[in-house]
Amino acid sequence: MLKRSEKNPKKDKIIGTNPISRRTFLLGTGAVIASGTLGIPFGKAFASNENFEARYYENINKDTVRCLLCPRRCVIPEGKRGYCEVRENRGGKLYSLTYGQPCALHLDPIEKKPFFHVLPGTKSFSLATVGCNIECKFCQNWQISQSTPEMIETKFRSPEQIVSKAHSLNAPSISFTYGEPVVFIEYVQDIAKKASAKGIKSLVVTNGFYRQKPLEDLCKVADAIKIDLKGFTNKYYRNICDAELKPVLDSILKVRSEGVWLEIVYLMLPTLNDSPIEIREMARWLVKNVGDNVPLHFSRFFPQYKLKDLPPTPFSSLETAYKICREEGLKFVYIGNVPRNETENTFCPACSKKIIERRGYNTKNIHIKNGCCTFCGEPIPGLWED
Ligand code: SF4
């Protein structure tokens, strides 16, 4: 695979030359707000925490390391960074540059992640750091995912501060989202452990492009994981995301086998990953390998980042995909980013009654008690409030 700097030479020119303020940047995204506005006192400055040693790497020789976090397995010489640009070799040790450096903090409806079978109707304290280990041409958070630490001003916030803020906001969960949690996995792990002690759940929203060992470790502290299955061909993953399909499928299997709650999102792009044949293959693979009760969210694409010339996904394509997946036996299929459509709701697979009603991010009329449909008693899979 290409290194990011080979693929996007402009990126290197940006580094360290023209940092924008965090607030300016975040307001530009329209998706998140600066963490200071949530009233978390700033901790130590970035410079005090830039020596956080990474957890997943090995030395090839005295000066060179190999990162073992994601399938790229970047070989990183002294003074250089990996593809994600947030893990750096200093003196033969690999360091995470974004530990404790959230660039976005926000209280979001959990439906925005989207998690539809986890604590519906609640808010999730959501955070991101910069960086990503893949580059999707349609990324809607590219200002976060494709930035380097130098491009956004941040302040240190310890795991304790994050958990304490979530607690004070009465958030029953913390979501690691917007960017890619794999590249700040140590921060995720440390927050999740402290959150668990306070009874706060940890939710991970990820591209699933992991190696198995870090993912296995993550599963020990995460309560739910949402994986973006970007497409169902390797060609699509290579051409559109600069990644590979198989490690993502392996991650889906791993999360399922570890018993962590799993939901899947499929962002549908016109002409690129909307073939009914591919959708049927994906549905069959999911039913066979993950089971018929995994929630699958089809999401409507709107022109973004490097695919501004592509039109939004026609609703008819999403409807076709929905029907195919239902035919193949998936019980919980949703269409997102399309206001006021019936498939936003959850229906009991046994009695067909509407058991969760949604309008966009608003949820009401939840007919689930003790994990069962209140109309017929059918168990509904998910993480529900007691
Ligand atoms: S996490 Fe970053 S440095 Fe590590 S292998 Fe992946 S892209 Fe390379």
Side-chain angles (χ1 to χ4, degrees), residues 115 174 176 181 185 188-189 191-193 195-196 200-206 210 214-226 255 258-262 383:
F115 278 110
I174 296 174
F176 305 95
I185 191 168
V188 174
Q189 289 170 328
I191 293 170
K193 279 182 204 156
S196 174
I200 297 173
K201 294 196 183 327
S202 290
L203 318 178
V204 178
V205 175
T206 175
Y210 283 66
L215 180 58
E216 193 176 306
D217 291 348
L218 187 65
C219 285
K220 292 189 173 81
V221 295
D223 294 283
I225 298 182
K226 189 218 80 180
V255 172
E258 292 292 319
V260 177
W261 179 252
L262 170 70
L383 302 180

Side-chain angles (χ1 to χ4, degrees), residues 314-367:
F315 186 59
S316 57
S317 305
L318 296 159
E319 270 187 316
T320 301
Y322 176 91
K323 282 178 194 152
I324 289 171
C325 292
R326 296 287 288 135
E327 280 167 18
E328 293 301 328
L330 286 167
K331 292 177 178 166
F332 302 100
V333 186
Y334 301 100
I335 295 177
N337 275 354
V338 179
R340 301 189 178 196
N341 81 87
E342 267 298 288
T343 67
E344 284 184 311
N345 304 306
T346 300
F347 296 90
C348 173
C351 69
S352 301
K353 292 251 174 57
K354 195 183 287 183
I355 49 176
I356 305 178
E357 191 175 339
R358 299 186 185 84
R359 281 274 175 97
Y361 299 144
N362 294 319
T363 302
K364 60 179 182 177
N365 299 329
I366 300 172
H367 296 285

Side-chain angles (χ1 to χ4, degrees), residues 16-71:
T17 58
N18 184 27
I20 58 175
S21 81
R22 180 171 49 103
R23 183 168 182 81
T24 305
F25 160 77
L26 290 170
L27 291 175
T29 69
V32 289
I33 60 172
S35 45
T37 62
L38 281 175
I40 303 181
F42 288 158
K44 297 175 204 164
F46 176 79
S48 68
N49 198 54
E50 58 190 355
N51 288 327
F52 190 89
E53 189 174 354
R55 285 186 189 141
Y56 300 92
Y57 78 95
E58 64 183 9
N59 277 88
I60 294 177
N61 57 43
K62 190 165 71 65
D63 299 321
T64 307
V65 301
R66 178 186 285 121
C67 178
L68 299 174
L69 193 45
C70 90

Side-chain angles (χ1 to χ4, degrees), residues 183-283:
V183 301
F184 60 98
I185 191 168
E186 298 89 352
Y187 193 37
V188 174
Q189 289 170 328
D190 291 357
I191 293 170
K193 279 182 204 156
K194 296 195 180 306
S196 174
K198 289 259 185 196
I200 297 173
K201 294 196 183 327
S202 290
L203 318 178
V204 178
V205 175
T206 175
N207 60 34
F209 197 57
Y210 283 66
R211 296 186 76 240
Q212 293 275 290
K213 174 69 172 110
L215 180 58
E216 193 176 306
D217 291 348
L218 187 65
C219 285
K220 292 189 173 81
V221 295
D223 294 283
I225 298 182
K226 189 218 80 180
I227 292 183
D228 287 315
L229 183 55
K230 313 273 180 183
F232 207 64
T233 65
N234 208 36
K235 185 176 165 204
Y236 180 85
Y237 261 89
R238 284 196 176 156
N239 293 345
I240 306 297
C241 307
D242 196 17
E244 306 276 338
L245 172 62
K246 185 166 184 310
V248 180
L249 297 183
D250 289 344
S251 292
I252 290 172
L253 298 177
K254 171 61 84 180
V255 172
R256 195 51 139 189
S257 70
E258 292 292 319
V260 177
W261 179 252
L262 170 70
E263 302 199 18
I264 308 277
V265 166
Y266 189 100
L267 178 68
M268 183 172 281
L269 277 66
T271 72
L272 294 178
N273 67 354
D274 59 352
S275 148
I277 294 171
E278 277 172 44
I279 299 293
R280 196 173 292 281
E281 278 177 12
M282 174 189 62

